[in-house]
Amino acid sequence: MADAYKNFTVDTDVVTDRTIVSSGIFSSGAGSLTAFYTASTQGASSASFLNVYDKVQTDSTREVQFACGYANYGGSGSIGNTTKTVAGNRETAGMYRQFANVLLPPYTDKFTFNSFSSASEDIFFIVMNRARMREKMDPGNWELALTATKKMRLIDDSGATTTPTVNEAGRVFNIVSGSIASGTADTFRTAAAGGALGNFYPDLGIIILDAAHLQTTASVTTTRSTNTFDDTPSQLFKQIAAGAYFAARREEEVTSTMYFCRATNKEFNFSNNPTFATKSGNTEGVFTQTTFEGAPKTYMTQVGLYNSKSELLAVAKLSKPVLKSFSREAVIKVKLDF
Amino acid sequence: MGFLDNTSITVDAILTKKGRELLARGDGSFNVTKFSLADDEIDYNLWDTAHPNGSNYYGAVIENMPVLEAFTDQNQVMRYKLITLNKNTTRMPILYLSLQNTELTYGGPEVPIAAQSTNAGDTSFTFELNDTDVAYIIPVVNGTAVLTGAAQTKQDDERTAVVVSPKEIRLQAKQLRVGKSARLTVIGNQTGVTKSITLTTLADPNF
């Protein structure tokens, strides 16, 4: 009986595997950025954040890498006040409440960092672009330098804890001063010693920094004017650009299914290829190579995966043709990533 | 002393357009149950029995040929399938279609196409139209052609239409302002033998 298809035996031929894949988080898989650019028209229009690019504005290939900005519980630093919005949109207040709702437990409306017992009413934030981050940031593998002298280097303290805090926003790590330049985290001052500069949410790709702490340690000016556009996000951007170093990795969980396609010695030894048999006349269907009679040989170049309706769902190609005959068997492992 | 190679060949698969469509549908229709092998790129006339180095080199030209990357169009890959036949087979299956390249007219009679394969035999055939703008495929069961409302809606919604039939289908032209062509591929479900023809639906001057 002729057969062009072979059914898989699920127990032995199909294996599902999950793999964590990490790579550089920036465009083209770069692991670090040393130059940072914004759109010149931003700031007044966005008020609370700036998109940061990897290339100059005139370069059409540039892409947003992350956004940095400022948020204030009471709306300071943006136009508008608590009783009316006709003159402004209180962007910094809107942004603070958004981060609080997304990152903090219910009924907690302000961020509290380990350095201070009291809640912090204003924060700086860095939000990775989703296309860059894909799934999540890799804890313990990012470092951000601030100020021209790189006076402040930020990392997370994931290397110092085996049981990270987990809340509604997923895992939460303290941001501390330190460096990963040596390959392992070198913490200059721990969170426990009052060194927590903010929180890091790797599953969301969000870095929250305590504005008061940054003002004193990294010269990030925060004026907090009432009903006034202070352009505070650009203050953080200036220090990031001056620091000229942001290294980070992303993590992605790839689910792969491996299909073991087993061609035993008696299978797949004939071909429907038009060059395998003659086309017309009395010899139609006869092998073009007389040596194939009794000892047919074929070359495998493609593997197709089908559903029960014989619809072709996926296809894999071999790098070069592989000989198949009655004296040869082949196992082709076809990997399908999701 | 050397070591025997006990590794299997590992290759990465890509989803075809059909595979992506079924995966997006999320109704369980993306379920791999079987595989097939093909050799679309091979010209067996390159099998050189006169090679001066002997029989080990008959296939040298073929074996050293780099292979193109896979295409995502399911109609452009896996066209020439490898099949399992008895060792003493002397003739390959041949597929005959009752119709060659043809033109269809909107409002005209349904056009029948019958398939038959010889030398091994298929009990059913898959008819696949790669562009549903051109025509409806109507399955014929026990001599009766029936296109249910659900099947018609499915053919309207999907880019390609697939019908499995014991032998025959009929084609019904769609109403078009501008004439259009599509490929109808017929595949023997046991032998994998494949043949394609071009269908052209003429523009309807009254549309």
Side-chain angles (χ1 to χ4, degrees):
Chain A
M1 182 64 185
D3 215 337
Y5 303 96
K6 184 174 182 183
N7 290 327
F8 286 113
T9 304
V10 175
D11 288 346
T12 55
D13 297 339
V14 184
V15 177
T16 300
D17 193 22
R18 288 191 303 172
T19 312
I20 302 286
V21 177
S22 62
S23 57
I25 201 168
F26 302 109
S27 289
S28 306
S32 63
L33 274 187
T34 54
F36 305 86
Y37 305 90
T38 60
S40 59
T41 55
Q42 263 197 307
S45 58
S46 53
S48 58
F49 75 94
L50 292 167
N51 277 328
V52 180
Y53 297 81
D54 56 337
K55 293 173 184 167
V56 294
Q57 195 170 357
T58 52
D59 191 329
S60 62
T61 63
R62 74 180 192 153
E63 295 177 313
V64 175
Q65 307 298 304
F66 59 90
C68 67
Y70 173 74
N72 186 292
Y73 183 79
S76 298
S78 59
I79 296 172
N81 59 41
T82 55
T83 58
K84 61 178 182 180
T85 59
V86 289
N89 292 317
R90 301 183 67 218
E91 288 90 346
T92 58
M95 200 59 91
Y96 191 100
R97 312 302 172 96
Q98 181 181 170
F99 278 115
N101 259 16
V102 171
L103 302 177
L104 299 178
Y107 310 112
T108 305
D109 58 354
K110 292 178 184 173
F111 286 90
T112 303
F113 304 105
N114 278 356
S115 304
F116 301 99
S117 56
S118 58
S120 179
E121 291 203 346
D122 59 349
I123 56 172
F124 284 102
F125 57 85
I126 294 170
V127 180
M128 299 308 300
N129 182 275
R130 207 216 66 79
R132 305 283 86 72
M133 183 184 72
R134 292 188 183 165
E135 199 170 291
K136 54 194 168 188
M137 282 179 76
D138 190 3
N141 280 295
W142 68 272
E143 177 183 335
L144 172 64
L146 299 175
T147 78
T149 56
K150 294 185 172 51
K151 185 167 69 176
M152 178 61 69
R153 288 173 171 271
L154 305 177
I155 62 171
D156 65 58
D157 69 350
S158 59
T161 177
T162 54
T163 53
T165 304
V166 176
N167 71 5
E168 284 72 7
R171 294 170 295 171
V172 186
F173 296 103
N174 292 304
I175 295 172
V176 295
S177 65
S179 171
I180 57 167
S182 62
T184 56
D186 181 9
T187 303
F188 303 150
R189 191 180 181 199
T190 65
L197 295 152
N199 291 339
F200 170 51
Y201 301 85
D203 299 316
L204 303 178
I206 294 175
I207 294 169
I208 299 291
L209 298 165
D210 182 10
H213 210 144
L214 277 198
Q215 189 167 9
T216 56
T217 58
S219 310
V220 182
T221 309
T222 313
T223 46
R224 304 182 183 87
S225 305
T226 301
N227 197 17
T228 304
F229 171 57
D230 281 340
D231 197 16
T232 315
S234 67
Q235 299 300 321
L236 176 60
F237 173 74
K238 282 177 190 168
Q239 300 307 331
I240 292 172
Y245 185 71
F246 188 6
R249 294 199 320 189
R250 62 188 170 209
E251 268 187 358
E252 200 173 11
E253 193 171 279
V254 177
T255 301
S256 304
T257 302
M258 260 85 74
Y259 298 92
F260 289 86
C261 303
R262 304 176 202 277
T264 62
N265 65 324
K266 292 183 179 176
E267 296 169 329
F268 302 110
N269 292 323
F270 297 85
S271 172
N272 283 305
N273 190 305
T275 64
F276 193 80
T278 54
K279 186 181 176 186
S280 58
N282 292 334
T283 59
E284 189 175 50
V286 173
F287 305 126
T288 50
Q289 298 291 337
T290 53
T291 56
F292 285 179
E293 283 189 22
K297 291 173 178 59
T298 56
Y299 282 95
M300 304 176 287
T301 59
Q302 304 181 21
V303 187
L305 303 179
Y306 295 83
N307 63 9
S308 56
K309 293 180 181 173
S310 299
E311 292 170 307
L312 180 58
L313 306 179
V315 64
K317 282 237 189 167
L318 278 59
S319 59
K320 63 177 190 174
V322 173
L323 182 64
K324 179 73 187 69
S325 70
F326 275 96
S327 59
R328 283 171 175 257
E329 297 198 341
V331 179
I332 303 171
K333 186 169 79 174
V334 179
K335 188 165 163 245
L336 191 55
D337 292 337
F338 294 96
Chain B
M1 177 179 164
F3 294 95
L4 293 173
D5 180 10
N6 63 349
T7 56
S8 58
I9 304 163
T10 303
V11 288
D12 288 324
I14 59 166
L15 295 180
T16 60
K17 287 195 282 189
K18 191 70 186 179
R20 284 205 300 269
E21 180 186 326
L22 296 184
L23 189 62
R25 199 186 286 167
D27 60 359
S29 51
F30 187 95
N31 182 24
V32 175
T33 60
K34 58 188 178 183
F35 75 94
S36 184
L37 303 171
D39 61 358
D40 296 3
E41 301 83 357
I42 304 299
D43 183 345
Y44 286 94
N45 292 312
L46 294 173
W47 181 262
D48 182 11
T49 54
H51 196 287
N53 290 347
S55 56
N56 282 346
Y57 291 84
Y58 287 177
V61 174
I62 297 172
E63 287 160 21
N64 289 298
M65 179 181 71
V67 178
L68 286 170
E69 287 186 317
F71 308 120
T72 56
D73 185 344
Q74 65 275 6
N75 301 114
Q76 302 300 330
V77 290
M78 301 298 296
R79 290 193 298 177
Y80 306 132
K81 295 182 180 66
L82 305 187
I83 59 172
T84 301
L85 293 169
N86 290 329
K87 192 175 183 180
N88 56 6
T89 299
T90 54
R91 284 184 186 243
M92 293 301 297
I94 304 291
L95 176 63
Y96 296 100
L97 298 180
S98 62
L99 194 70
Q100 299 307 309
N101 297 345
T102 193
E103 292 181 342
L104 307 173
T105 306
Y106 175 72
E110 293 172 355
V111 176
I113 296 183
Q116 184 183 11
S117 60
T118 61
N119 298 337
D122 288 288
T123 56
S124 66
F125 297 88
T126 297
F127 297 80
E128 183 167 357
L129 185 63
N130 76 342
D131 188 345
T132 51
D133 289 348
V134 171
Y136 290 109
I137 303 183
I138 306 170
V140 177
V141 180
N142 298 327
T144 306
V146 178
L147 183 64
T148 63
Q152 185 170 347
T153 302
K154 192 165 183 280
Q155 290 193 25
D156 284 333
D157 290 346
E158 296 184 350
R159 192 70 198 152
T160 60
V162 178
V163 163
V164 177
S165 173
K167 182 179 179 184
E168 184 183 349
I169 58 145
R170 290 186 192 166
L171 296 164
Q172 184 184 78
K174 286 189 175 180
Q175 191 174 23
L176 297 176
R177 196 179 304 278
V178 178
K180 195 172 186 184
S181 297
R183 293 291 283 173
L184 178 74
T185 303
V186 185
I187 306 161
N189 287 338
Q190 283 71 45
T191 64
V193 63
T194 303
K195 192 165 270 188
S196 295
I197 61 171
T198 301
L199 303 176
T200 303
T201 293
L202 303 174
D204 180 7
N206 300 318
F207 187 44

